Amino acid sequence: MAFQDLREYLAVLDRTGKLKRIRKEVDKDWEIAAVARSVFQRFAEADRPGLVFEKVKGYDIPVAVGVLGASRQIYAAALETTPGQVLDKWYHAQKNPIAPVSVPRGPCKENIVSGAQVDVLKFPIPVWTAGSDLSPYITAPQVCTRDPETGVRNVGTYRTQVHAKDRLGINCGAIHHLARHVAKNEAQGRPTAVAIVIGTDPAVAITSVTSMAEELDEFAVAGALRGQPVELVRCETCDLEVPATAEIVIEGQMLPGERAPEGPFGEYPGYVSSRSPKFVVHVKCITYRNNPVYQAFLSQMPPSESTIIRGIGHEAPLYQALKDRHLPVKDVHFTVGGSGAGWLFISLKKHRPEQVQEVVAAAWETLKPMGKFTVVFDDDIDIFDPVNTQWAMTFRVQPQRDIKIVPNTPILPHDPSGLALPDTMKPSKVIIDATMKHEFPALALPPQEHLDLVAGRWAEYGF
Ligand code: MN
């Protein structure tokens, strides 16, 4: 059964013990970030709850944080599956999209505010890195635009700074579909209509954060993930469509050629990134549900919600690309410590030694800057287990033979290690072949039959 909206999903998280409702009053300008950060530091991932701050000082709107990505278990719950099935679910959804349907009205139109009445600051938008971020940031926006030539929609999540009550800044790299739509409009001297959606059924929000082919409609992939078409309503001020059950929709326009300084913002590598000219959105209209829920992602230093959602958001297209090339891949994983981008672990059932190089080449072609450190393991290694992976890197690797530095590669977005490279040096990446290249001695473990015997008697040992 697909979730109809964010609030129905939150009720399920609550019932299954994965949600913590915080009733103490909190200040959105420092305390929400500090409490969320402490929860991510204090809880092991498997036990970490999503959070709803019910009482935000000066507001009567609750703030949900971590409800999609406090852990891989919560992410899987949002897609109504298990952590082990997440990538197969993604694979199937991208191959079998379910087109959205238009409906005449939806709860996101319960309140409509336009013109001089527009004020995004009426919503409790937190400050994430107090002392560095100059203003609040919308961290879980689903930014909707349309390709002016093909009509194909894009929904993507880009950091969005609140400049003023009716003006926002969007930080979006040139390769992203949003930037391509703006470029096509600007070439014709036209503005770009934009709808920024906050708080939807989790399949839609998760799709917004995941990279996929430009011709794919994110709402259709979300429909496949939830097993039911997403219902869309038309915006008030443009012909874009947005999920009918969204909590909040901010409609606006980007004027051709306009840029304004955006940043600094505490970014996903755990460092504050710099200020530079970025897109500007002039807000024309805000529609929202009665008693709306404001949703945000915790980003910044790993472990964070963004390291988990974006990590899986990179794993999904990579898993698909490797499968489609018929490479014998078992699992792919972007670790939390690498902020879901830097360390890529791949396990495969190697038939030929060259397959290690083929897998790495395909991975880097699919996700150009990602996998600064890419490690390939045999399929007996659990690449989600830090002990098992370090063990394999220690005892199946001879550095001179098995570690290769590849010069002149794309660099991770916002990676500060590239800031002070000498002029003669370009960014580089590392390949570690941690597969076995010859016969290895027997593993120093009790025989499997003994372990099976013990498993059958487990309760007798008093555990
Ligand atoms: Mn897209």
Side-chain angles (χ1 to χ4, degrees), residues 153-155 177 212-214 216 218:
R153 217 182 323 254
N154 186 62
V155 188
H177 301 162
M212 57 192 70
E214 189 160 8
L216 274 181
E218 279 85 357

PDB file of all heavy atoms in Angstrom, residues 153-155 177 212-214 216 218, ligand 1:
ATOM      1  N   ARG A 153       9.880  16.614 -17.611  1.00  0.00           N
ATOM      2  CA  ARG A 153       9.932  17.234 -16.308  1.00  0.00           C
ATOM      3  C   ARG A 153      11.243  16.889 -15.608  1.00  0.00           C
ATOM      4  O   ARG A 153      11.833  15.861 -15.884  1.00  0.00           O
ATOM      5  CB  ARG A 153       8.816  16.557 -15.534  1.00  0.00           C
ATOM      6  CG  ARG A 153       8.059  17.323 -14.626  1.00  0.00           C
ATOM      7  CD  ARG A 153       7.023  16.533 -13.876  1.00  0.00           C
ATOM      8  NE  ARG A 153       6.319  15.483 -14.526  1.00  0.00           N
ATOM      9  CZ  ARG A 153       5.051  15.564 -14.909  1.00  0.00           C
ATOM     10  NH1 ARG A 153       4.376  16.678 -14.769  1.00  0.00           N
ATOM     11  NH2 ARG A 153       4.467  14.521 -15.446  1.00  0.00           N
ATOM     12  N   ASN A 154      11.669  17.743 -14.681  1.00  0.00           N
ATOM     13  CA  ASN A 154      12.726  17.348 -13.760  1.00  0.00           C
ATOM     14  C   ASN A 154      12.304  17.664 -12.338  1.00  0.00           C
ATOM     15  O   ASN A 154      11.683  18.690 -12.084  1.00  0.00           O
ATOM     16  CB  ASN A 154      14.046  18.062 -14.048  1.00  0.00           C
ATOM     17  CG  ASN A 154      15.149  17.520 -13.165  1.00  0.00           C
ATOM     18  OD1 ASN A 154      15.483  16.337 -13.252  1.00  0.00           O
ATOM     19  ND2 ASN A 154      15.674  18.338 -12.277  1.00  0.00           N
ATOM     20  N   VAL A 155      12.629  16.754 -11.436  1.00  0.00           N
ATOM     21  CA  VAL A 155      12.456  17.003 -10.005  1.00  0.00           C
ATOM     22  C   VAL A 155      13.802  16.701  -9.360  1.00  0.00           C
ATOM     23  O   VAL A 155      14.302  15.580  -9.488  1.00  0.00           O
ATOM     24  CB  VAL A 155      11.371  16.100  -9.388  1.00  0.00           C
ATOM     25  CG1 VAL A 155      11.104  16.531  -7.944  1.00  0.00           C
ATOM     26  CG2 VAL A 155      10.082  16.138 -10.201  1.00  0.00           C
ATOM     27  N   HIS A 177      19.934  18.619 -14.338  1.00  0.00           N
ATOM     28  CA  HIS A 177      18.859  18.839 -15.309  1.00  0.00           C
ATOM     29  C   HIS A 177      18.230  20.222 -15.138  1.00  0.00           C
ATOM     30  O   HIS A 177      17.869  20.871 -16.116  1.00  0.00           O
ATOM     31  CB  HIS A 177      17.811  17.724 -15.201  1.00  0.00           C
ATOM     32  CG  HIS A 177      18.411  16.359 -15.443  1.00  0.00           C
ATOM     33  ND1 HIS A 177      17.813  15.187 -15.064  1.00  0.00           N
ATOM     34  CD2 HIS A 177      19.582  15.999 -16.023  1.00  0.00           C
ATOM     35  CE1 HIS A 177      18.581  14.164 -15.391  1.00  0.00           C
ATOM     36  NE2 HIS A 177      19.665  14.633 -15.972  1.00  0.00           N
ATOM     37  N   MET A 212      19.173  10.173 -12.147  1.00  0.00           N
ATOM     38  CA  MET A 212      18.668   9.248 -13.179  1.00  0.00           C
ATOM     39  C   MET A 212      18.748   9.919 -14.541  1.00  0.00           C
ATOM     40  O   MET A 212      19.022  11.108 -14.646  1.00  0.00           O
ATOM     41  CB  MET A 212      17.249   8.799 -12.847  1.00  0.00           C
ATOM     42  CG  MET A 212      16.235   9.882 -12.669  1.00  0.00           C
ATOM     43  SD  MET A 212      14.720   9.218 -11.951  1.00  0.00           S
ATOM     44  CE  MET A 212      15.284   8.836 -10.292  1.00  0.00           C
ATOM     45  N   ALA A 213      18.505   9.114 -15.574  1.00  0.00           N
ATOM     46  CA  ALA A 213      18.632   9.602 -16.946  1.00  0.00           C
ATOM     47  C   ALA A 213      17.707  10.799 -17.176  1.00  0.00           C
ATOM     48  O   ALA A 213      16.618  10.875 -16.611  1.00  0.00           O
ATOM     49  CB  ALA A 213      18.291   8.482 -17.921  1.00  0.00           C
ATOM     50  N   GLU A 214      18.180  11.727 -18.031  1.00  0.00           N
ATOM     51  CA  GLU A 214      17.454  12.985 -18.244  1.00  0.00           C
ATOM     52  C   GLU A 214      16.053  12.748 -18.809  1.00  0.00           C
ATOM     53  O   GLU A 214      15.122  13.494 -18.522  1.00  0.00           O
ATOM     54  CB  GLU A 214      18.257  13.888 -19.187  1.00  0.00           C
ATOM     55  CG  GLU A 214      17.695  15.286 -19.282  1.00  0.00           C
ATOM     56  CD  GLU A 214      18.700  16.308 -19.792  1.00  0.00           C
ATOM     57  OE1 GLU A 214      19.791  15.906 -20.217  1.00  0.00           O
ATOM     58  OE2 GLU A 214      18.381  17.507 -19.749  1.00  0.00           O
ATOM     59  N   LEU A 216      14.043  10.422 -18.103  1.00  0.00           N
ATOM     60  CA  LEU A 216      13.112   9.812 -17.142  1.00  0.00           C
ATOM     61  C   LEU A 216      12.390  10.892 -16.346  1.00  0.00           C
ATOM     62  O   LEU A 216      13.002  11.829 -15.855  1.00  0.00           O
ATOM     63  CB  LEU A 216      13.874   8.906 -16.169  1.00  0.00           C
ATOM     64  CG  LEU A 216      14.133   7.467 -16.594  1.00  0.00           C
ATOM     65  CD1 LEU A 216      14.878   6.734 -15.480  1.00  0.00           C
ATOM     66  CD2 LEU A 216      12.836   6.742 -16.928  1.00  0.00           C
ATOM     67  N   GLU A 218      10.884  11.892 -13.055  1.00  0.00           N
ATOM     68  CA  GLU A 218      11.047  11.451 -11.665  1.00  0.00           C
ATOM     69  C   GLU A 218       9.709  11.031 -11.042  1.00  0.00           C
ATOM     70  O   GLU A 218       9.651  10.089 -10.252  1.00  0.00           O
ATOM     71  CB  GLU A 218      11.684  12.551 -10.805  1.00  0.00           C
ATOM     72  CG  GLU A 218      13.201  12.652 -10.938  1.00  0.00           C
ATOM     73  CD  GLU A 218      13.672  13.496 -12.118  1.00  0.00           C
ATOM     74  OE1 GLU A 218      12.818  13.979 -12.898  1.00  0.00           O
ATOM     75  OE2 GLU A 218      14.900  13.662 -12.272  1.00  0.00           O
TER      76      GLU A 218
HETATM   77 MN    MN B   1      15.958  14.522 -14.081  1.00  0.00          MN
END
